[in-house]
Amino acid sequence: MTVTQAGRNADTGAFDSPTVQDFLNIDAHLSDGEKGIREKIRLFVHDRIKPNIKGWYDEAVFPKEIVSEFAELGLLGMHLSGYGCAGRSAVEYGLACMELEAGDSGLRTFVSVQGSLAMSAISRFGSEEQKQEWLPRMARGETIGCFGLTEPTAGSDPASMKTFASKEGSDWVLNGEKRWIGLATIADVAVVWARTDEEKNPVRGFLVPTDSAGFTAKDITPKLSMRASIQCDIELKNVRLPEGAMLPEARGLGGPFACLNEARYGIIWGAMGAARDCYESALAYAKEREQFGRPIASFQLVQEKLANMLIEVGKGTLLALHIGRMKDAGTLEPEHISFGKLNNVREAIEIAREARTVFGGNGVTLDYPPMRHMSNLESVRTYEGTDEVHTLILGNAITGISAFR
Ligand code: TGC
């Protein structure tokens, strides 16, 4: 058997290893450095996440020991510069997110909450002292951060948040509740967004050490999605902080939204990683599984499913790359991120559902990845802006009319 470029068999013309990148030669658009980072993370996912994810997911365990390995790989604050961060490009960070989420959305979410949300907030809005204090330790994985924006009654509408920071002498005193906060029960520091009585831009950010008196966090259980990661409720009861706990450069909701842009960007890539894993596993299964005396991959209806998955993963990956290039060029606007997040997560869920059907009954077990990805993607579809929010951000961008207010 002769194998030519991109794993194509010269005798039959079939792709021996038909990854989506190979099929469209998307690699032609990547530098050697970008491909190197992707391969490094892909190998890590292959060796470290794929063999273990079934157990972690089944037992609803986040493997905390993996944090130092993420740090070793330069994944924590990967796209940030200085303070021990890797200073990688948006495309490099995106490729890493894609590979991680091919393993599991929950593990990509760790990297996103730590780097795109908590570390981004400190890097972008913190004082020099705050950056020195927190970022190097967070990049090394010695300190874990979380990002408290959402509340029990303020989900899609963070402007309605109730958490309040009042000034008492030179101290700040925080009271309120946060919900769906990734990592809060294992975090050392929480970036908490709170309303103040400042007249203009009352929402401000605070760095709250999680051992502060009055700070409590509790895991939200049981969950049917993101079982290998941690989402929590937080309660803040008269949490007293020094004046220097406030992030000085974040004023108003633009602060947390700027961090959300970073996390939403990672999702655009990550969702295609999960989708690609569904497609590749369905293809492999269809070629092996025999019914009616032949591999199910020989049936037209199965081939149609596989072809549709291939097309949507290819389109979504190209879209992620295009958006990544825009981000690196400094031309990316929030509505472009909404375009990517809405499309790629929506398509990834469809692909996961379709892939599950290829496995028949076996597809509902944890022995195969599509249903796990499908369950995870329901959370990904909801967090960092629901489908509806992103649809209406696009609606606003193309009509000039806000549907929200
Ligand atoms: P609006 O009046 O439009 O804007 C308020 C201020 O924010 C600015 N802004 C942005 N800045 C940067 N990037 C963006 N994407 C921005 N979007 C808005 C805007 O320019 C304005 O600035 P200024 O200076 O003029 O005051 O605000 P709005 O409330 O009307 O916006 C509506 C809407 C729906 C778009 C917004 O509220 C929204 O995006 N909602 C979705 C919220 C969301 O994604 N929540 C998920 C939070 S993630 C989380 O807490 C848990 S998941 C992570 C984990 O696992 O921990």
Side-chain angles (χ1 to χ4, degrees), residues 150-163 177-179:
T150 300
E151 300 188 355
T153 57
S156 290
D157 181 18
S160 66
M161 73 171 67
K162 294 192 179 118
T163 298
E177 290 172 83
K178 297 287 173 184
R179 186 160 169 81

Side-chain angles (χ1 to χ4, degrees), residues 109 113 117 147 149-150 155-159 180-182 201 253-254 257-258 260-261 264 334 383-385 389 393 404-405:
T109 293
V113 171
L117 293 175
F147 184 87
L149 177 66
T150 300
S156 290
D157 181 18
W180 292 118
I181 308 307
N201 292 325
L253 276 175
F257 285 150
L260 286 184
N261 288 340
R264 291 167 175 174
Y383 72 14
E384 322 287 6
V389 161
I393 289 172
F404 300 112
R405 301 178 204 284

Side-chain angles (χ1 to χ4, degrees), residues 165-180:
S166 48
K167 201 83 196 271
E168 290 187 12
S170 63
D171 290 349
W172 288 100
V173 178
L174 268 62
N175 280 286
E177 290 172 83
K178 297 287 173 184
R179 186 160 169 81
W180 292 118

